[in-house]
Amino acid sequence: MTTIRDNLQSVHARIVAACVAARRRPQDVALLAVSKTIGSEAVRAAFTAGQTAFGENYIQEGVEKMALLGQLPLQWHCIGPIQSNKTRLVAEHYDWAHTLDRLKTAQRLSQQRPANLPPLQVCIQVNVDGGATKAGVAPGAALELAREIVKLPRLKLRGLMTLPEPAPDFQSQKALHLRARALFDELRGAGLALDTLSMGMTTDLEAAIHAGSTLVRVGTAVFGVRAAR
Ligand SMILES: *Cc1c(COP(=O)(O)O)cnc(C)c1O
């Protein structure tokens, strides 16, 4: 049986290989271990193996895990949908939120962020493949939302996040990720100081790194296949 430590090593090796192939520096791509549905003991094992940043989709589940692991210096990222009745939990407990797609949510997070914590680090989720029912702003709406978010005092806008439908091969994965990259470059060109492009998961992290991802969110390759929730 492979251990979480072995898995982390393999994921880091994949990241390094993709960076070499894409002529990028491995230190410019961070690994977020996605621990949704995974127990706190597995998170602890990942921490012992050197992993400090964890991503949770289900806000309440993440907060419960934080309570169990409170003595460890971990960084928690909210990568799931944020309903209005959950903004307070995110503002009070998380370090990052990747899934902002409405100004209203951003305003609530800023209002509810406790004064004793640093600003909440946030990304705008962009719907790069155009699914009508999908979360995320249309690419054409991202700049306007970004300009509003940067005015909010308790948020720090770091970049963009995408969650495209699985694509069958490297080239089609990369084509989707390049749309996010183009938008990222456009926003930076418009004067926004962004440094984070959150994209790529277990099956497409290589394509995402080729397209410019700075943070890959990896669950299955770190913790194994998840049980159905
Ligand atoms: C589950 C999830 C991931 C990780 O997916 P894997 O395929 O298990 O690596 C990344 N990002 C988001 C938003 C997720 O929901």
Side-chain angles (χ1 to χ4, degrees):
M1 211 183 101
T2 62
T3 64
I4 289 170
R5 182 180 293 274
D6 297 332
N7 291 348
L8 279 167
Q9 237 168 42
S10 316
V11 173
H12 282 296
R14 284 177 62 186
I15 292 171
V16 170
C19 286
V20 169
R23 298 171 189 271
R24 298 187 53 200
R25 300 184 310 172
Q27 64 266 37
D28 292 341
V29 181
L31 172 61
L32 181 66
V34 175
S35 46
K36 63 184 178 202
T37 80
I38 303 297
S40 60
E41 287 318 304
V43 173
R44 191 186 296 278
F47 171 73
T48 306
Q51 180 67 28
T52 54
F54 294 88
E56 290 284 340
N57 282 61
Y58 311 106
I59 290 161
Q60 181 69 42
E61 178 196 328
V63 171
E64 286 162 18
K65 243 171 263 180
M66 292 172 205
L68 292 168
L69 297 165
Q71 72 285 18
L72 302 181
L74 306 181
Q75 191 187 70
W76 293 96
H77 296 234
C78 173
I79 60 170
I82 307 174
Q83 300 88 353
S84 328
N85 64 348
K86 293 278 166 51
T87 52
R88 185 173 296 280
L89 277 179
V90 174
E92 291 182 350
H93 296 279
Y94 285 80
D95 301 293
W96 282 68
H98 290 222
T99 47
L100 296 207
D101 61 0
R102 296 170 62 209
L103 181 57
K104 184 94 195 140
T105 308
Q107 287 167 333
R108 288 174 65 96
L109 289 169
S110 182
Q111 281 157 10
Q112 294 169 342
R113 182 69 168 173
N116 63 319
L117 295 180
L120 184 67
Q121 311 294 303
V122 300
C123 294
I124 294 175
Q125 182 173 355
V126 182
N127 177 354
V128 281
D129 48 359
T133 60
K134 283 186 55 164
V137 295
L143 178 58
E144 196 187 329
L145 180 57
R147 288 205 160 117
E148 294 300 323
I149 290 177
V150 296
K151 295 179 194 159
L152 298 172
R154 301 294 293 139
L155 302 187
K156 168 95 178 118
L157 182 64
R158 299 292 296 270
L160 303 178
M161 177 270 203
T162 65
L163 182 57
E165 290 301 313
D169 57 71
F170 180 88
Q171 286 308 334
S172 42
Q173 292 167 355
K174 186 175 165 190
L176 282 172
H177 291 311
L178 281 172
R179 291 188 202 166
R181 167 62 184 277
L183 184 60
F184 183 68
D185 289 345
E186 185 190 322
L187 266 57
R188 297 209 319 171
L192 293 158
L194 307 182
D195 63 6
T196 301
L197 197 44
S198 164
M199 58 186 193
M201 314 197 290
T202 290
T203 55
D204 65 349
L205 70 89
E206 284 83 3
I209 288 171
H210 273 260
S213 172
T214 69
L215 187 155
V216 290
R217 309 180 310 264
V218 181
T220 309
V222 173
F223 293 110
V225 176
R226 288 178 292 275
R229 186 173 188 265

